[in-house]
Amino acid sequence: MRIALLEDEHEQAQHVQSILSERGHHCDSFPTGQSFLSAVLHRSYDLLILDWQIPDMTGIDVLENVRAQLNWPIPVVFLTQRDSESDIVRALDAGADDYLAKPAREAELVARINSLARRTNPDNEKELLTYGPFEINTQQRSILLHGQALTLTDKDFDLTLFLFQNQGRLLTREMLLERVWGLARDINTRTVDTHMSRLRRRLGLNPENGFRIKTIYQRGYRLEAMKANESADPIATADHA
C-alpha cells in the first residue's frame, strides 16, 4: 500500500517507515499538518497514519480536513503518545478507524494496517465482481458487459479492475503507473492517458452502462457511477475533491 505518515519526530518517522517498507509498503513521511494535507489531497494514498501533537495543528484538525475534503473514505490510524480513553473516543468520533499508542509494536501495527486494508477493499479477495452491467472474473481475467465478452489487453484488464475496485476515488497518473505498470523505466504518464482514452471506448462507458472515467485536470482520473440523464462527456475539469 501507499501510506502517508504524519510525524514530526525524525527518528520515530524513520522507525515507522522502516517497519512498513520491510512489509512491502511504500510510506511517505511529513513533519507538519500543512505539508501532510497538501500531499494527501493531491496524491493518491491507501491509508493515513496520524500523530496527534504536531507543530502547526493537531492530528484531529488534520483528520477533520481529510474527511471534509477527500472524496473517498480513506482509512486513518492514529499513532500517538496520547492514550487516555477520552483521547481515543475523540479521535474515533472525528472519523479515525483505529488508534495505537506509541511506541508502535511492529507486529501489531502491521496487523492493524492489513486488517484495515481488507475491510476497506473487500473486492480485492473476490473472484467474481459485479458492477452494474459489468462482470469481472479475476481468475479468468475476463470482463463481460451485458453478458458479452470484451476484448481487452492484459494491461487494459489490470487497469479496468483497478478502476472498478477504487470507484469514486481520485487516482493519479503516477499511482496508476505504479499499480498497473510497475513503474517500468520506459513508461511515462502519456501511456496512462492513451489507455484511458481506449478504455472509454472499449468499455462503453456511457449513461446506459452506468459509469464514466472522469479526467481531473493535472491530477489523474476517477471512475464514477452515472445517472441515466448524465452526460458522458469526459472533458477534463479542475477538481478540488
Side-chain angles (χ1 to χ4, degrees):
M1 290 190 296
R2 291 178 57 86
I3 298 171
L5 169 66
L6 175 60
E7 175 56 70
D8 63 316
E9 296 181 7
H10 182 65
E11 289 186 3
Q12 175 69 12
Q14 285 190 318
H15 177 60
V16 174
Q17 286 180 300
S18 176
I19 293 172
L20 297 176
S21 64
E22 288 176 0
R23 269 69 172 189
H25 301 300
H26 174 88
C27 181
D28 293 329
S29 176
F30 304 90
T32 66
Q34 289 295 340
S35 62
F36 181 88
L37 285 171
S38 178
V40 168
L41 298 177
H42 293 86
R43 305 178 195 171
S44 295
Y45 289 100
D46 301 303
L47 183 140
L48 310 180
I49 301 176
L50 305 181
D51 191 6
W52 189 306
Q53 297 166 299
I54 47 177
D56 56 340
M57 62 179 73
T58 69
I60 295 293
D61 293 331
V62 172
L63 175 58
E64 290 174 344
N65 271 276
V66 166
R67 292 299 185 223
Q69 298 184 60
L70 206 62
N71 67 333
W72 72 287
I74 188 170
V76 176
V77 178
F78 263 90
L79 179 60
T80 174
Q81 291 179 339
R82 298 179 60 146
D83 60 356
S84 71
E85 182 180 9
S86 61
D87 288 334
I88 296 171
V89 169
R90 185 181 176 191
L92 295 175
D93 283 346
D97 298 283
D98 207 342
Y99 198 102
L100 288 167
K102 292 180 180 177
R105 293 184 291 188
E106 296 186 18
E108 182 181 7
L109 174 61
V110 173
R112 287 177 182 263
I113 286 174
N114 290 341
S115 176
L116 275 176
R118 289 192 297 271
R119 296 206 308 265
T120 306
N121 299 293
D123 285 352
N124 288 350
E125 299 180 0
K126 294 181 180 179
E127 178 179 347
L128 298 175
L129 307 173
T130 300
Y131 304 96
F134 294 90
E135 298 178 24
I136 302 177
N137 188 311
T138 60
Q139 296 300 312
Q140 298 179 6
R141 295 180 59 80
S142 63
I143 300 178
L144 303 181
L145 174 58
H146 297 294
Q148 300 296 314
L150 298 178
T151 301
L152 300 173
T153 67
D154 285 342
K155 280 295 181 284
D156 286 343
F157 175 87
D158 293 338
L159 185 54
T160 301
L161 177 61
F162 192 65
L163 286 169
F164 274 107
Q165 288 181 329
N166 291 276
Q167 182 185 154
R169 175 184 177 187
L170 168 65
L171 302 172
T172 65
R173 291 172 174 84
E174 291 74 17
M175 184 179 191
L176 290 167
L177 280 174
E178 179 179 314
R179 297 300 180 84
V180 178
W181 282 269
L183 283 180
R185 293 184 180 275
D186 59 341
I187 300 296
N188 57 49
T189 57
R190 289 299 303 168
T191 297
V192 176
D193 298 333
T194 300
H195 276 75
M196 285 297 186
S197 177
R198 185 165 61 215
L199 281 184
R200 286 189 174 106
R201 299 190 303 271
R202 292 186 173 180
L203 296 179
L205 296 175
N206 53 51
E208 290 73 22
N209 293 327
F211 293 93
R212 68 178 171 189
I213 297 175
K214 187 173 183 179
T215 304
I216 309 303
Y217 181 63
Q218 292 186 338
R219 295 172 68 184
Y221 296 91
R222 183 165 59 221
L223 182 68
E224 298 180 340
M226 301 178 64
K227 297 178 181 179
N229 60 352
E230 283 189 272
S231 168
D233 187 356
I235 293 177
T237 61
D239 190 293
H240 302 287

